[in-house]
């Protein structure tokens, strides 16, 4: 069994997948729905794909409208994130995660952020309140 | 969360499926933020967008029999009459806008199609509890009017309008409204354009509630509107204070709730210049194809300001100002619309820059004074050089921008 960390549920569900970390907040509208590649100029993830990944990032930013549309477009094209782990929940992203049914959690300990790396396989279980690093 | 029996009935579906879904979303948000209960709202603004997720969710609510208990004002999509008459939209895009219109009409919304309700159609009172989505609207009603809303998404604001309540957390509570970041502005804030750039400093300011000092004694509505819009383009800000200007910040101590700021950020002219050239604007020294203003919707004062820069000269490229139907009506009565049309410009009501009606400008380069306007339509292939309004108007006259 990998190392487990407790967390707090935002949107229900569970998922397993590969981690992609972003130092910057994310605006999902500026992610290409056909590829999952981040389009935003000067963004930490510019040119990289979030499709099918578990994103570890500070939180959402930007428009109260197109954030949800960005997530909706990604999900209807099967290029959405599998789960989201955030540090600073804000209502726009929280509402989007609940409505679009993307497992989402917050309140991970600093230990988790020290341990988790790009490419790690992890499991996010929002319903049971834990995140597990399966393989580094 | 503790729900009243009426709220429990809503959640259980006794008021229809739409109302039940709305309550489920609000309870989910409330549980995320540990809200103890729901509180009633008396106003709402829904950031309608005429985009797929917006139509999907609004129609789902209509199909579920939902109707707004608190009729919300709504954001612009695009003006069907204007763009179909000019043959600028496909049948499919026109059909989408019609569906959006029909859905919000069925939900009982106020069809204001304007993104600056806080300057006209929907102004809350001090301490009034409301649910406002839309980038510039949320911080404006919190910071400038002293009303209370969280940074609602278009969907959560619609859920609040339908149920008439919101979970009580965050910016609804006195102690969560104090600032925690001191932002010392050393830049020369000479016009409302500098406030666009200041708002775009979200990466440098970081998450929290900024308290601005150094902005002088009077900040115009246009400057505040721009600051609000750009804060929520570069970041996610529901609230800020300007010491000596906004009502909850008569002094620095009041703004911080008599606590020390968590950090201090200094903004200089160099910072504003860097963010403009590195992150916001395409390179200058180029021919341009058009000029577009009104993100957020221009005020009547901005329409007049723009015309003063035109000064009766013929424009080399098309120029559009987006605004509310109300401002357009006043501009027509005042002869401003006719003056702009004579030189080759126009005023467009009910319309947002991030809409399919502008697809005829794909792969062209325009000028605008709004970083937000340049940011979102990037996805639609529109390119922008961003400059202050006077430089943009000069570019529209000359056909090229410095």
């Amino acid at each position: 069994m990998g190392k487990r960390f407790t967390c707090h549920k935002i949107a229900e569900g569970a998922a397993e997948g590969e981690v992609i970390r972003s130092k910057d907040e994310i605006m999902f509208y500026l992610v290409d729905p056909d590829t999952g590649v981040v389009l935003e100029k000067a963004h930490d993830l510019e040119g990289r794909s979030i499709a099918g990944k578990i994103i570890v990032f500070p939180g959402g930013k930007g428009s109260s409208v197109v954030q949800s549309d960005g997530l909706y477009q990604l999900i209807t094209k099967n290029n959405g994130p599998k789960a989201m782990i955030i540090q600073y929940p804000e209502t726009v992203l929280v509402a989007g995660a609940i409505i679009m049914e993307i497992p989402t959690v917050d309140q991970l300990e600093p230990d988790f952020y020290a341990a988790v790396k790009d490419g790690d396989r992890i499991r996010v279980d929002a319903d049971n309140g834990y995140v597990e690093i399966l393989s580094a | 969360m503790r729900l009243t029996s009426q709220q429990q009935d809503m959640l259980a579906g006794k008021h229809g499926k739409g109302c039940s879904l709305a309550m489920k979303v609000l309870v989910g948000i409330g549980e995320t933020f540990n809200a103890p209960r729901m509180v009633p709202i008396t106003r709402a603004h829904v950031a309608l967008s005429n985009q797929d997720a917006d139509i999907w969710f609004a129609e789902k609510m209509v199909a579920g029999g939902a109707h707004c208990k608190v009729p919300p004002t709504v954001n612009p999509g695009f003006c069907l009459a204007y763009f179909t008459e000019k043959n600028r939209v496909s049948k499919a895009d026109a059909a989408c806008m019609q569906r959006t219109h029909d859905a919000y009409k069925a939900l009982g919304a106020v069809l204001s199609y304007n993104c600056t309700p806080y300057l006209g159609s929907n102004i809350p009172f001090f301490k009034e509890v409301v649910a406002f989505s839309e980038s510039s609207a949320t911080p404006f009603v919190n910071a400038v009017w002293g009303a209370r809303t969280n940074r609602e998404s278009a969907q959560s604001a619609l859920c609040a309008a339908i149920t008439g309540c919101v979970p009580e957390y965050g910016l609804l509570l006195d102690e969560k409204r104090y600032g925690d970041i001191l932002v010392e502005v050393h830049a020369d804030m000479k016009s409302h354009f500098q406030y666009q750039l200041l708002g775009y400093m979200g990466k440098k300011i970081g998450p929290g509630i900024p308290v601005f000092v150094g902005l002088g004694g009077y900040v115009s509505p246009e400057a505040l509107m721009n600051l609000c819009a750009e804060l929520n383009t570069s970041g996610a800000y529901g609230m800020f204070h300007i010491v000596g200007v906004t009502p909850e910040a008569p002094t620095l101590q009041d703004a911080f709730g008599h606590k020390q700021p968590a950090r201090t950020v200094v903004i200089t002219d160099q910072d504003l210049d860097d963010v403009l050239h590195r992150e916001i604007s395409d390179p200058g020294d180029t021919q341009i194809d058009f000029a577009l203003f009104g993100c957020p919707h221009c005020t009547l004062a901005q329409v007049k300001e723009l015309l003063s820069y035109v000064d009766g000269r013929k424009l080399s490229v098309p120029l559009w100002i987006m605004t509310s139907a109300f401002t357009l009506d006043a501009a027509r009565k005042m002869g401003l619309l006719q003056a702009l049309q004579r030189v080759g410009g126009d005023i467009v009501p009910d319309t947002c820059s991030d809409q399919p009606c502008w697809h005829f400008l794909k792969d062209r380069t325009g000028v605008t004074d709004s970083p937000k306007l340049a940011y979102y339509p990037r996805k639609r292939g529109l390119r922008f050089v961003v400059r202050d309004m006077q430089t943009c108007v000069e570019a529209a006259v000359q056909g090229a921008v410095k």
Side-chain angles (χ1 to χ4, degrees):
Chain A
M1 202 172 87
K3 188 155 189 213
R4 278 196 181 195
F5 303 87
T6 60
C7 62
H8 169 249
K9 176 184 88 173
I10 290 177
E12 61 195 17
E16 245 178 67
E18 190 187 312
V19 167
I20 185 164
R21 285 190 76 157
S22 170
K23 284 204 274 292
D24 292 334
E25 293 156 337
I26 298 178
M27 160 43 68
F28 285 97
Y29 190 61
L30 288 186
V31 177
D32 181 359
D34 293 319
T35 59
V37 171
V38 175
L39 303 172
E40 184 174 334
K41 232 165 117 177
H43 194 278
D44 192 27
L45 297 184
E46 185 182 358
R48 296 178 61 197
S49 173
I50 56 136
K53 306 263 174 70
I54 295 178
I55 323 177
V56 178
F57 63 119
K61 68 164 178 177
S63 162
S64 55
V65 186
V66 298
Q67 182 70 288
S68 313
D69 196 65
L71 279 174
Y72 178 83
Q73 299 289 352
L74 282 162
I75 284 161
T76 49
K77 297 193 172 174
N78 287 320
N79 286 322
K82 271 194 179 162
M84 302 193 286
I85 299 176
I86 62 179
Q87 278 173 287
Y88 307 103
E90 49 84 32
T91 313
V92 171
L93 187 64
V94 167
I98 294 170
I99 292 166
M100 309 299 166
E101 299 175 355
I102 305 165
T104 301
V105 299
D106 69 342
Q107 295 177 21
L108 271 296
E109 293 298 315
D111 287 2
F112 168 76
Y113 288 99
V116 73
K117 298 182 306 297
D118 263 348
D120 287 355
R121 273 198 77 73
I122 68 171
R123 178 173 174 78
V124 175
D125 190 332
D127 303 327
N128 294 303
Y130 73 87
V131 173
E132 186 174 347
I133 300 181
L134 301 168
S135 66
Chain B
M1 281 185 86
R2 267 194 336 270
L3 298 181
T4 63
S5 60
Q6 197 203 12
Q7 290 159 357
Q8 280 170 5
D9 286 351
M10 286 184 184
L11 189 62
K14 292 187 185 164
H15 298 254
K17 268 190 187 168
C19 188
S20 166
L21 173 60
M23 191 53 96
K24 185 183 167 219
V25 171
L26 296 176
V27 168
I29 294 168
E31 285 178 350
T32 295
F33 295 100
N34 298 317
R37 57 172 186 167
M38 296 288 174
V39 287
I41 56 158
T42 39
R43 292 173 188 276
H45 177 76
V46 173
L48 171 153
S49 67
N50 182 41
Q51 289 177 327
D52 292 347
D54 181 37
I55 299 176
W56 167 73
F57 196 69
E59 287 185 342
K60 193 169 174 164
M61 285 299 180
V62 174
H67 195 81
C68 293
K69 224 176 187 177
V70 177
T73 46
V74 296
N75 259 18
F78 66 85
C79 181
L80 253 182
Y82 184 91
F83 288 96
T84 48
E85 190 223 328
K86 296 203 162 13
N87 206 19
R88 292 294 192 194
V89 282
S90 68
K91 280 213 168 84
D93 288 337
C96 276
M97 189 60 230
Q98 189 65 52
R99 276 172 64 190
T100 302
H101 179 88
D102 293 344
Y104 279 92
K105 193 174 165 188
L107 289 169
V110 178
L111 298 175
S112 52
Y113 293 128
N114 164 235
C115 53
T116 59
Y118 48 82
L119 289 177
S121 55
N122 201 355
I123 305 176
F125 303 126
F126 189 63
K127 292 197 175 181
E128 186 173 355
V129 176
V130 302
F132 269 48
S133 53
E134 166 52 27
S135 302
S136 71
T138 307
F140 203 105
V141 300
N142 271 320
V144 180
W145 297 139
R148 300 189 165 200
T149 175
N150 280 300
R151 207 176 82 92
E152 302 292 347
S153 78
Q155 286 79 25
S156 64
L158 181 57
C159 293
I162 288 167
T163 59
C165 63
V166 287
E168 187 180 42
Y169 70 97
L171 293 172
L172 269 46
L173 309 170
D174 288 346
E175 67 274 17
K176 295 287 172 71
R177 296 173 66 82
Y178 296 123
D180 54 3
I181 314 159
L182 179 61
V183 183
E184 290 181 7
V185 182
H186 294 177
D188 179 12
M189 304 301 286
K190 52 186 180 260
S191 79
H192 50 74
F193 182 64
Q194 274 66 41
Y195 285 82
Q196 306 265 32
L197 305 180
L198 178 61
Y200 216 87
M201 298 304 304
K203 255 190 211 172
K204 184 161 184 186
I205 295 170
I209 298 182
V211 176
F212 295 98
V213 294
L215 295 180
Y218 177 74
V219 186
S220 70
E222 290 77 15
L224 289 165
M225 171 177 102
N226 290 346
L227 176 65
C228 289
E230 304 305 335
L231 279 172
N232 279 328
T233 304
S234 71
Y237 297 91
M239 178 69 180
F240 63 89
H241 301 275
I242 304 176
V243 176
V245 175
T246 56
E248 289 165 71
T251 68
L252 199 63
Q253 289 73 21
D254 292 315
F256 284 108
H258 299 271
K259 291 195 194 107
Q260 288 300 311
R263 61 182 181 280
T264 300
V265 179
V266 174
I267 307 287
T268 63
D269 283 319
Q270 188 65 49
D271 289 320
L272 301 188
D273 203 56
D274 284 350
V275 81
L276 174 62
H277 295 290
R278 290 187 193 156
E279 293 191 31
I280 296 169
S281 181
D282 274 20
D285 283 320
T286 179
Q287 303 289 112
I288 57 153
D289 305 302
F290 67 98
L292 188 56
F293 301 91
C295 175
H297 276 174
C298 281
T299 63
L300 195 60
Q302 286 177 307
V303 174
K304 287 168 80 175
E305 183 187 345
L306 190 144
L307 273 165
S308 76
Y309 300 139
V310 174
D311 197 20
R313 292 175 295 170
K314 195 84 192 154
L315 302 171
S316 299
V317 298
L319 179 156
W320 295 275
I321 299 176
M322 295 173 291
T323 188
S324 66
F326 177 80
T327 300
L328 171 62
D329 187 49
R332 186 185 288 112
K333 286 173 183 156
M334 294 164 75
L336 304 171
L337 173 67
Q338 296 84 337
L340 187 60
Q341 285 175 335
R342 272 197 297 275
V343 297
D346 209 355
I347 303 179
V348 187
D350 299 351
T351 299
C352 170
S353 56
D354 192 24
Q355 288 287 315
C357 58
W358 301 110
H359 276 181
F360 69 98
L361 300 173
K362 189 169 187 288
D363 298 324
R364 308 241 174 129
T365 298
V367 284
T368 184
D369 66 342
S370 163
K372 185 184 177 192
L373 194 155
Y375 181 79
Y376 292 109
R378 190 178 296 283
K379 192 172 172 180
R380 300 180 189 269
L382 275 65
R383 294 190 298 261
F384 288 95
V385 176
V386 180
R387 296 289 185 265
D388 63 274
M389 188 185 267
Q390 187 169 11
T391 307
C392 289
V393 170
E394 205 52 41
V397 172
Q398 305 298 337
V401 65
K402 280 187 222 159

